[in-house]
Amino acid sequence: MAERRRKFEPEFREGAVRIVTETGTSIAEVAKDLGIYETTPANWVSRARQTGAALAGGGDEAERLRRENAQLKRDDNRSVLPVPWSADRPAASVFPLGLKATQVA
């Protein structure tokens, strides 16, 4: 006969998610400590991350990280060097000494 599914209180699920997200404890460790299968808290954490509930406690930190990430992306885009030649800028300006760019087949 099949085993009956266990139901967990919302407070229990939220507590497990909080342990994983705030302490950095692995899902496997939390599941072992709670005596449940690993997939159960993995589903809870995944669902919480999708809805943003896992970040509710650390909202200020999450917002700071979002701003920092956006700034790093802007800085990274500024560091990309332009292509040295294009249709508007002939290769002669890149090879000023009369050297020719070799064409690779």
Side-chain angles (χ1 to χ4, degrees):
M1 191 156 138
E3 197 174 317
R4 198 164 173 217
R5 282 184 83 153
R6 294 170 54 185
K7 290 202 174 219
F8 298 97
E9 296 293 322
E11 294 82 15
F12 182 81
R13 292 191 301 259
E14 291 167 8
V17 169
R18 209 173 311 115
I19 291 170
V20 171
T21 57
E22 292 178 5
T23 67
T25 306
S26 73
I27 292 173
E29 285 182 59
V30 171
K32 184 178 177 185
D33 291 345
L34 297 175
I36 57 179
Y37 291 109
E38 190 175 325
T39 55
T40 304
N43 290 335
W44 298 339
V45 170
S46 175
R47 193 173 309 128
R49 286 181 177 152
Q50 288 174 353
T51 62
L55 299 176
D60 295 336
E61 178 69 7
E63 183 56 35
R64 184 190 68 75
L65 290 172
R66 274 191 218 98
R67 284 194 309 268
E68 181 181 350
N69 192 29
Q71 181 65 43
L72 289 170
K73 285 181 180 180
R74 283 191 299 272
D75 292 346
D76 190 42
N77 287 338
R78 288 186 202 128
S79 68
V80 175
L81 297 175
V83 175
W85 61 84
S86 64
D88 298 338
R89 185 173 177 204
S93 64
V94 177
F95 302 100
L97 300 175
L99 301 173
K100 302 291 182 194
T102 57
Q103 189 172 13
V104 179

